[in-house]
Amino acid sequence: MKLMNIDSVLARKSGPALAGIAALFLVSATAAPEVPAAGLNKTAMIQEAIRLGEEFGLVVGEVDEETRDYLGMERAEGVVVYEVIAGKPADLAGIRVKAVIKEIDKHEIRNLVDFGEALKAALKEENFTVATYQPFDPVNPELSGGLNFHFVRTEKN
């Protein structure tokens, strides 16, 4: 299998149309819980996770084998950020493209289902944390490499 760089993956997997994004990630989705929460099937849970991600300010997808290899990760777990929407809470918290979301408010993120469930609960709060893994980038060494914690503040309506 030819290894592509993350920029090629980003170009291929990101874009403005939610339906197109959902279709891309449904193909590469990894294991979900055996019994979906609240009677939703896995497809609906992933679509909801993608919608919540955009509400939060992120276009995301699961870490697949190709992304895992590029980032030098041991396991293909977590949710990778393909795009950050300007002015949204994720942007204001400093979450960056190419980061891998590993935890939301102390809930481990292994896949899009985990991401959606944790983000749904967190968005009900005014403040929460997001832990990301940022791979080392020789172009921006001061902004990369290691685990980062982002403090998110959301406005209550």
Side-chain angles (χ1 to χ4, degrees):
M1 176 168 109
K2 181 181 176 190
L3 181 63
M4 299 175 69
N5 70 33
I6 194 78
D7 297 317
S8 297
V9 175
L10 292 172
R12 188 178 68 220
K13 292 186 179 180
S14 66
L18 179 60
I21 293 167
L24 284 170
F25 298 121
L26 291 175
V27 172
S28 66
T30 58
E34 297 270 333
V35 180
L40 295 175
N41 64 36
K42 184 177 178 182
T43 302
M45 294 174 79
I46 290 171
Q47 289 172 337
E48 176 71 357
I50 291 169
R51 185 194 67 73
L52 288 168
E54 286 191 348
E55 180 182 318
F56 180 53
L58 299 175
V59 175
V60 297
E62 289 183 358
V63 175
D64 57 16
E65 296 300 320
E66 180 180 36
T67 306
R68 182 209 65 186
D69 290 345
Y70 176 78
L71 298 176
M73 298 172 66
E74 287 183 25
R75 290 173 290 193
E77 285 188 351
V79 173
V80 66
V81 176
Y82 292 115
E83 187 177 331
V84 178
I85 302 169
K88 295 279 193 164
D91 177 42
L92 299 174
I95 297 173
R96 301 184 187 288
V97 170
K98 300 180 188 178
V100 176
I101 298 174
K102 301 299 286 176
E103 184 179 283
I104 296 176
D105 223 16
K106 299 182 184 177
H107 293 90
E108 182 181 9
I109 306 302
R110 295 174 306 240
N111 54 44
L112 279 169
V113 173
D114 292 345
F115 173 77
E117 290 174 347
L119 189 56
K120 185 175 186 174
L123 287 172
K124 294 177 183 175
E125 304 298 323
E126 289 186 9
N127 301 299
F128 60 94
T129 59
V130 177
T132 61
Y133 167 74
Q134 187 74 34
F136 180 74
D137 181 357
V139 176
N140 295 307
E142 69 282 354
L143 300 176
S144 64
L147 197 59
N148 299 295
F149 291 91
H150 306 271
F151 297 96
V152 181
R153 173 136 172 83
T154 59
E155 299 272 335
K156 288 291 180 190
N157 293 335

